[in-house]
Amino acid sequence: MSRNSKWGLFWLLVIGAFIGILLTAGMVRTVQWAGSNDFCTGWCHSMDPVTVAYKSGTHYKTASGVHAGCSDCHLLNETQHPLTPTKYVALLANKVKAGSISGWGHITGSINTPEKWLEKRDELSKNVLTFMKDSGFSNCRGCHDLSLMYNEKKPFVGKMHESLIDKPETNCVMCHRNVGHNYKDVDAYIKAENKWPTTEAVAEFVKKNTSATK
Ligand code: HEC
Ligand code: HEC
Ligand code: HEC
């Protein structure tokens, strides 16, 4: 190899590595963006009730301000530590699947009005619960280490959960109904107004109705 072509090869490698880093960084950002709350809720109205109900759930606003976003609960392996390459590939595949199911339902018109959405929700809930059961509620467990739960005032709570460590079939949501979404007010709003909800409109609606019944 001549001196010149050696330098040529060197720079090619440097530039190649640089482009590689840029691409990887770009991909990581895209993947993060595609898993953000904004991405999951910003595309179509059929996510409005879900989002409003999420904000009334127990994982949006918390005592400590540490909270869970859509992907934390809904994307396979999102809260797994450590995240191995195999698990990451499964995560990506799951992301594509989750995204396309919600987009497809909207396009085919099955959930394009608030009423239709309300009828369809049981089915959607069941799909989500099946996913969680199949993965042994590993997303919940990824954040809630059942071996480390300790509440001074209620020591039995930690003990009880500790006994669930070896029982991946335990349905956390059976006892913790509203962790993800609390639909109480959202449903009342949709039934009365037949409109896609917003957090403000639902709050306004609840205020109006509670003062009316006083
Ligand atoms: C703390 C965990 C958690 C978080 C965070 C969460 N969800 Fe859920 N989600 C659930 C659970 C559990 C269910 C199934 C049972 C239910 O409806 O509560 C569910 C159900 C759903 C459903 C099916 C319809 C339904 O409500 O049953 C959709 C769609 C959904 N979630 C989307 C989202 C989106 C979008 C976000 C973010 C704005 C989000 N979820 C945040 C746990 C969560
Ligand atoms: C991203 C991490 C994360 C994930 C995923 C997650 N949680 Fe939580 N969870 C939290 C945090 C943070 C709190 C609030 C702690 C505080 O009060 O500051 C919390 C609070 C709770 C509480 C107590 C408040 C309440 O709802 O009564 C329960 C129960 C609970 N989570 C169950 C679940 C279940 C079941 C799942 C799976 C569907 C889940 N969590 C998924 C982080 C998470
Ligand atoms: C048989 C019912 C039951 C099941 C199943 C269950 N829990 Fe609980 N959980 C409880 C009770 C009861 C409490 C205490 C509630 C209280 O203090 O008001 C609790 C409290 C919690 C808390 C809050 C702890 C605290 O002290 O604030 C978290 C987090 C939690 N559970 C997570 C989970 C996760 C994750 C699963 C699934 C692996 C699960 N739970 C399964 C009944 C259950």
Side-chain angles (χ1 to χ4, degrees):
M1 228 186 262
S2 78
R3 219 184 124 90
N4 256 346
S5 59
K6 259 192 204 148
W7 275 109
L9 187 65
F10 172 76
W11 284 113
L12 200 68
L13 286 176
V14 169
I15 292 166
F18 188 65
I19 292 175
I21 290 168
L22 277 186
L23 283 180
T24 312
M27 191 181 113
V28 168
R29 265 203 61 71
T30 309
V31 167
Q32 281 178 344
W33 170 69
S36 69
N37 284 7
D38 287 347
F39 179 87
C40 299
T41 59
W43 293 97
C44 51
H45 281 305
S46 58
M47 278 298 174
D48 293 354
V50 181
T51 311
V52 178
Y54 159 69
K55 291 185 174 166
S56 323
T58 52
H59 282 77
Y60 179 62
K61 282 189 175 160
T62 67
S64 60
V66 181
H67 80 295
C70 318
S71 311
D72 291 323
C73 287
H74 287 290
L75 264 184
L76 184 68
N77 296 338
E78 181 79 12
T79 60
Q80 290 304 296
H81 309 284
L83 188 54
T84 60
T86 342
K87 282 186 177 168
Y88 191 64
V89 170
L91 185 158
L92 289 181
N94 189 254
K95 191 170 261 185
V96 171
K97 197 170 138 221
S100 49
I101 291 174
S102 31
W104 187 245
H106 197 76
I107 291 159
T108 53
S110 61
I111 44 179
N112 61 358
T113 71
E115 278 170 320
K116 280 190 203 160
W117 185 86
L118 216 51
E119 281 168 26
K120 195 86 181 166
R121 189 173 71 235
D122 270 353
E123 200 183 308
L124 298 172
S125 286
K126 276 201 196 99
N127 287 346
V128 169
L129 284 174
T130 306
F131 158 77
M132 290 187 177
K133 282 180 191 154
D134 287 351
S135 52
F137 291 82
S138 63
N139 287 50
C140 310
R141 288 164 184 265
C143 284
H144 297 287
D145 187 331
L146 300 185
S147 70
L148 297 175
M149 279 175 64
Y150 177 70
N151 184 332
E152 198 177 22
K153 291 197 197 95
K154 301 176 192 163
F156 64 94
V157 173
K159 283 222 180 69
M160 195 280 278
H161 288 80
E162 212 175 321
S163 75
L164 304 176
I165 291 174
D166 301 322
K167 301 195 177 77
E169 69 282 3
T170 306
N171 183 346
C172 311
V173 176
M174 187 180 70
C175 293
H176 299 296
R177 272 262 95 233
N178 292 329
V179 280
H181 311 264
N182 182 347
Y183 281 105
K184 189 172 138 279
D185 298 335
V186 177
D187 284 3
Y189 174 85
I190 292 179
K191 280 180 192 145
E193 309 274 327
N194 191 24
K195 281 192 226 145
W196 291 113
T198 62
T199 304
E200 296 75 33
V202 172
E204 192 59 33
F205 171 81
V206 170
K207 219 163 84 190
K208 210 172 69 195
N209 281 17
T210 39
S211 60
T213 51
K214 256 182 209 152

